[in-house]
Amino acid sequence: MSEIKSPGKLYLVPTPIGNLEDMTFRAVRILKTVSLVACEDTRTSGILLSHYGIDTPRTSLHAHNEHSKVPRIVEKMILGDDVALISDAGSPGISDPGYLLTRAALDAHLQIEALPGPTAMIPALAASGLPTDKFVFEGFLPQKKGRQTRIQALIEEDRTVIFYESPHRLGKLIEQLRQFAGDDRQAVIARELTKKFEEYVRGSLAELAEWVQAQPKIRGEIVFLLGSQKTSERINP
Ligand code: SAM
């Protein structure tokens, strides 16, 4: 008689945002022991996985195949396989695929473990010099429809606001924020975190706009943080 396996688990495993040393021991162990690693991009993750000697079978799970792939991955877990989800960098589900699989796993009454680990927003906030006691993560703003309405709502926040932004739209973001929040609002550009050219630029929106103007080209990955009106009055009375 064949043995009935108990259902497998879904592990949400963060991966480094630029520095391979930021992988945790537990992340490596989980990725080595699960039956399948679902990767946002199997080639990108291949570099990390081979660096750590992880040869677990992989499958791709990204924005364009999530709807068809999720039911198949859930089926595997129901039949007893443990599955880990990783994204190209940082924590899966944070401005990255993960929500759909997590939701489907919960709907199927499967267990989920999210490992703590790398994400861009937390080190950016911690080193920003802006208040860290209360914050809100906005991620990427919509590029067109609804962008202005979001900005108008966010400048009223009494918490530090964290944005993800691409380098070529950074200037536009600062100008739009400046239009509604004024020149003096304090903000921070956190660029290339954990990498060789890591950089923080701290100042008022007017100063940051000037800094952007002075750069021949802005490269790399960026977290942008906006202080509240109150914070700006305290830092720059
Ligand atoms: N899942 C990731 C996380 O947990 O932070 C975020 C993925 S999202 C697709 C990519 C965005 O995260 C980038 O455009 C940038 O805003 C931010 N980001 C990722 N790595 C970064 C880094 N090393 N330095 C600064 N920002 C970074």
Side-chain angles (χ1 to χ4, degrees), residues 43-91:
R43 270 196 292 180
T44 305
S45 295
I47 300 166
L48 174 86
L49 298 176
S50 60
H51 180 84
Y52 283 99
I54 299 163
D55 56 9
T56 309
R58 297 158 207 174
T59 190
S60 72
L61 184 75
H62 48 69
H64 305 290
N65 71 3
E66 263 185 319
H67 286 273
S68 60
K69 273 286 190 68
V70 160
R72 282 189 261 161
I73 295 174
V74 168
E75 188 62 27
K76 277 182 89 60
M77 291 189 284
I78 290 171
L79 294 176
D81 284 338
D82 286 336
V83 173
L85 174 66
I86 60 177
S87 65
D88 287 352
S91 296

Side-chain angles (χ1 to χ4, degrees), residues 131-160:
T132 54
D133 54 342
K134 288 188 288 177
F135 61 91
V136 50
F137 175 63
E138 177 68 14
F140 291 101
L141 281 170
Q143 280 179 39
K144 291 199 176 84
K145 202 163 169 273
R147 185 176 171 99
Q148 197 150 315
T149 318
R150 287 299 308 143
I151 289 179
Q152 275 172 304
L154 290 165
I155 60 150
E156 302 295 336
E157 267 293 339
D158 63 354
R159 300 172 285 185
T160 299

